[in-house]
Structures are given as structure tokens and as C-alpha cells.
Amino acid sequence: MLALEGAGLGVWDWNTKTNEVFFSRHWKAMLGYAPKDVGNTLQQWLELIHPDDLARCQADRARHYRGETAIYRSEHRVRAKDGSWRWILDQGTVFERNADGDPLRVVGTYTDVTERKQAEQSLLEKQGALAEAQRIAHIGSWSWQLATGAMTCSEETLRLCGMAAG
């Protein structure tokens, strides 16, 4: 566990029989919580997840528990102690199942991906602004990768050339 936390990962370990979850010190610290601020129940974790992300997060978890995915993986927002929302990459796997195949023990990690999500959002906004500027000015753009022969065109270039996307 020291290696995982040294790599900036928070660790969680869920006993599904008792519904107790161990949350590592780093798991709590990355959200600004002191060790005693977060209890050790699944409900405590669920209450921290953004309401708009909760159903998707639980669906991702359920797919993994049914064996439909090799690992549980979800990116969702979690409430930090200061009230802000942090984007978290939550990953885990079932380590033990009962005779019926139901999960008994699930272990995983938390990675704060807030900066990456903010950069992605900024890029999308800039791409939207560029597309709008090209549309207004009736100027398109394109690029051609010599090594692969791949060509990409802006929507405005396609429109100006009378071509459909693709």
C-alpha cells in the first residue's frame, strides 16, 4: 500500500459482507479530509459522490460485479471537505467471490484527475470557439499527416467544399 500511496493513489478495500470500507489516509487527504472525517461504510462513500454522477458510477460498479468488465472503472466527481468537487478516477477489482459468484472483497484506487478534466473542458471550449469563428468568417482549416496519410478537416472546410462529414 505504501507504493500505491507514494504514487499518489488513494486506496480503498471493501468487505461486502459487513459493508465496511477501509479508506487509506491518502484517499482521505486528497479530498482534504482528516483520518477521522470519513467513516468506514459504503454509505459514507456514496454520500460524497456528485448526485449527477451517482447512477452512472453505481452502474459501472454493478457491471463489474456481474463479471461484465475486467475491472471497475469510473470517473466521477467527489465532494471535498471544502465543498468543492474533485474529479476522481476510481478503479478496482473483485478479489474474492462466494460460491454463488457474488463479490465478497473489492479493492481499488482513487486518482485525482481534476486538472486533466479541467484541461479537457478548456480544450473543448477553445475548439468550439475556433469552429464558431471559422463559421462566421467562412474560413476552414485542415491538416494532413504525411506519415500516415490521414487528413482532417474542420466542419467549415467541409461545408465550404460541399462535402459531408466523414
Side-chain angles (χ1 to χ4, degrees), residues 15-33:
N15 177 332
T16 65
K17 283 200 266 185
T18 64
N19 249 357
E20 290 181 321
V21 186
F22 164 79
F23 299 107
S24 71
R25 289 173 52 96
H26 188 69
W27 185 101
K28 295 173 185 180
M30 75 171 53
L31 298 168
Y33 295 106

Side-chain angles (χ1 to χ4, degrees), residues 140-154 157-158 161 163 165-166:
S141 62
W142 57 273
S143 67
W144 180 29
Q145 301 296 321
L146 294 176
T148 64
M151 184 174 190
T152 58
C153 297
S154 68
T157 296
L158 295 174
C161 295
M163 300 170 65

